Amino acid sequence: MPKISEIITTIKTNRELKRRLLFTLLILAIFRLITHIPVPGVNVEAIKDVFSNNQLLSLLDVFSGGTLANFSVLALGLNPYINASIIMQLMTMISPKLSELSKEGESGSEQINQYTRMITVPLALLQSAAMYMLLRSGNLVTITSPLALFALLATMAAGSIFLMWLGENLTEYGLGNGISLIIFAGIVGRIPLSFLRTEAILSTVNPWNILAVAVAGLAVIAAIIAIDEAKRQIPVQYSRRIRGGASGTTSTYLPIKLNNAGVIPIIFAIALVLAPSMLAQALAKLPNPNIASVAANFSAHFTPTSLSYNLIYFSLVVGFTYFYTAVVFDTTKIADSLKKNGGYIPGIRPGTHTATYLGNIVRKTTLPGAVFLGLIAILPSLISGATGVSTFTVGGTSLLIVVSVILETYRKMQSYTVARSYDSFVR
């Protein structure tokens, strides 16, 4: 495995890696710059106070890349694009036409991505309208004319689409997954604020509780790395011809990770678990007393510290982990690929039997990874309830995203280092 010093040397000498790294830094710099451009017609300071005192909104701000609390032109973040991706993946599982399209390789994937972008536009407009109604119910907007309202909705929708464009270009020309990198940049940008909030409450919280939170954070980082690196090696043999007409075999391994889904299940789950709460908070402001009463009661009980919220959140993360793993690790495709290339698992017949065997292993290995992701998702509530420290209420999810993105970027750099070594060997 290449060392950090070797990767640094490769960055200096490998033009492709240097270009991708500079492009990544440029896109992230543009993103962080635009996050400070507020949408006109809103009370930004009042919105920041509301977000700092609301755990649901703080959690939503994490997945907007840190743009929602500032209520910048990128306030919606990548949420419309993420929701569109969820819809398209569900439709791919349901619709035979889309399922066949997904099997057509790169051209099919590009067509599905185009459908996802098309769905993102109306979703961005709908979420812009919902956000406006939520802010209006809290007297956080100063817009009165229809033209100003249209400008607000159009600006927010356009900002989300622009961020989607940045993420896709970052994926294609940068290092790693663009969506994850943008969310990573938003989380890192919030770290100084979290430390300042923690320092402000030091006099009111037991110092041992602060230490416990720090130790828990280090333990979570170690666990994330261990789970991310853990994999089961499935032996695979390939038949080959040798001189004289005789045949032989070569052996290799098919790695199956405990966590094939990465942070995507949490991103999907939070997009769904926050929707009822946001809707209830908006309905609680309606003039109809019956609807307002039911919505207010639901909003009061369905909070990040409630048992029902955490159980639903945990279940969604586990369910999405299995769902996304089935999408990205298609055992039927892998079994067919092995069969076409003369590969087989010792003791298992090629084809359907191999697919069934791999499916059983994936289901077993996915369980600890899914449970781990679910615990990471609800970890902030557990730590907050045990220690009373709430300034890092999004710590578990944030740590998972930060560590995962760093590991993914490191592997990407490793691949360029290895490729450069092979090029030097060939020359």
Side-chain angles (χ1 to χ4, degrees):
M1 180 180 293
K3 298 180 181 179
I4 295 179
S5 59
E6 294 177 357
I7 293 178
I8 293 175
T9 302
T10 305
I11 292 174
K12 294 179 179 178
T13 56
N14 189 314
R15 292 184 178 180
E16 173 68 12
L17 181 56
K18 184 187 295 184
R19 181 183 64 81
R20 286 182 174 271
L21 180 60
L22 291 176
F23 184 84
T24 300
L25 294 176
L26 175 63
I27 293 296
L28 294 182
I30 293 173
F31 162 67
R32 292 305 301 167
L33 177 64
I34 299 179
T35 57
H36 297 285
I37 302 176
V39 174
V42 298
N43 190 337
V44 177
E45 295 301 323
I47 291 175
K48 287 183 179 180
D49 291 338
V50 171
F51 272 78
S52 63
N53 297 317
N54 190 305
Q55 294 184 21
L56 284 172
L57 294 177
S58 295
L59 191 57
L60 184 61
D61 187 44
V62 169
F63 293 98
S64 71
T67 62
L68 200 50
N70 294 330
F71 216 80
S72 71
V73 293
L74 304 178
L76 292 181
L78 290 161
N79 292 302
Y81 182 68
I82 292 171
N83 293 334
S85 299
I86 295 174
I87 293 173
M88 282 306 302
Q89 291 195 4
L90 290 174
M91 291 299 295
T92 302
M93 301 289 288
I94 297 172
S95 171
K97 184 177 180 180
L98 289 176
S99 179
E100 289 298 323
L101 188 62
S102 66
K103 298 176 182 178
E104 294 181 3
E106 187 175 345
S107 62
S109 298
E110 180 56 36
Q111 187 64 48
I112 290 177
N113 290 337
Q114 185 63 27
Y115 291 152
T116 304
R117 299 184 195 106
M118 293 169 63
I119 296 175
T120 301
V121 176
L123 284 180
L125 291 171
L126 287 173
Q127 292 188 26
S128 299
M131 188 62 65
Y132 166 75
M133 289 187 290
L134 181 64
L135 293 177
R136 184 181 178 184
S137 64
N139 297 319
L140 299 175
V141 293
T142 58
I143 292 174
T144 55
S145 68
L147 182 60
L149 173 59
F150 175 78
L152 172 68
L153 299 182
T155 299
M156 293 177 64
S160 181
I161 295 169
F162 175 70
L163 196 57
M164 174 191 70
W165 180 78
L166 286 182
E168 290 188 345
N169 278 275
L170 195 52
T171 300
E172 184 173 357
Y173 302 109
L175 290 173
N177 183 279
I179 294 177
S180 299
L181 282 168
I182 288 176
I183 296 176
F184 164 83
I187 293 172
V188 172
R190 287 163 49 92
I191 289 178
L193 181 60
S194 297
F195 278 113
L196 289 175
R197 289 177 180 172
T198 304
E199 184 181 3
I201 65 167
L202 282 177
S203 60
T204 61
V205 179
N206 188 336
W208 289 106
N209 289 343
I210 299 290
L211 180 62
V213 171
V215 172
L218 294 176
V220 168
I221 292 174
I224 291 171
I225 295 174
I227 292 293
D228 191 81
E229 295 290 337
K231 59 177 70 72
R232 178 172 175 178
Q233 304 276 26
I234 306 298
V236 177
Q237 293 185 348
Y238 288 90
S239 300
R240 61 184 179 89
R241 292 279 183 180
I242 57 178
R243 290 183 179 181
S247 61
T249 59
T250 56
S251 299
T252 184
Y253 291 95
L254 175 66
I256 299 180
K257 299 180 64 175
L258 290 186
N259 180 18
N260 281 296
V263 301
I264 300 299
I266 291 184
I267 296 175
F268 283 3
I270 199 63
L272 292 183
V273 78
L274 287 180
S277 300
M278 301 295 293
L279 181 61
Q281 290 180 12
L283 293 177
K285 305 292 184 179
L286 292 178
N288 188 313
N290 294 326
I291 297 178
S293 176
V294 172
N297 185 55
F298 177 84
S299 181
H301 290 87
F302 197 70
T303 63
T305 57
S306 66
L307 179 62
S308 58
Y309 175 93
N310 286 287
L311 285 177
I312 293 175
Y313 191 13
F314 179 86
S315 301
L316 284 174
V317 172
V318 172
F320 272 121
T321 301
Y322 273 96
F323 169 75
Y324 196 76
T325 299
V327 172
V328 300
F329 197 91
D330 191 331
T331 55
T332 302
K333 287 184 179 179
I334 294 174
D336 290 341
S337 177
L338 288 175
K339 186 177 180 178
K340 290 178 181 178
N341 291 281
Y344 62 93
I345 300 174
I348 307 298
R349 291 178 61 184
T352 305
H353 291 80
T354 297
T356 303
Y357 175 76
L358 291 175
N360 291 331
I361 292 179
V362 169
R363 281 190 290 272
K364 293 176 183 178
T365 55
T366 300
L367 179 60
V371 172
F372 174 75
L373 286 180
L375 291 175
I376 285 292
I378 64 174
L379 182 65
S381 297
L382 300 179
I383 292 181
S384 178
T387 64
V389 180
S390 59
T391 53
F392 285 101
T393 52
V394 295
T397 304
S398 300
L399 282 177
L400 176 64
I401 295 174
V402 169
V403 175
S404 298
V405 170
I406 291 175
L407 290 175
E408 181 183 358
T409 305
Y410 181 72
R411 291 193 191 101
K412 196 81 171 180
M413 291 184 173
Q414 276 186 342
S415 66
Y416 284 105
T417 302
V418 173
R420 179 175 179 270
S421 300
Y422 285 146
D423 291 342
S424 301
F425 176 76
V426 170
R427 288 196 296 268

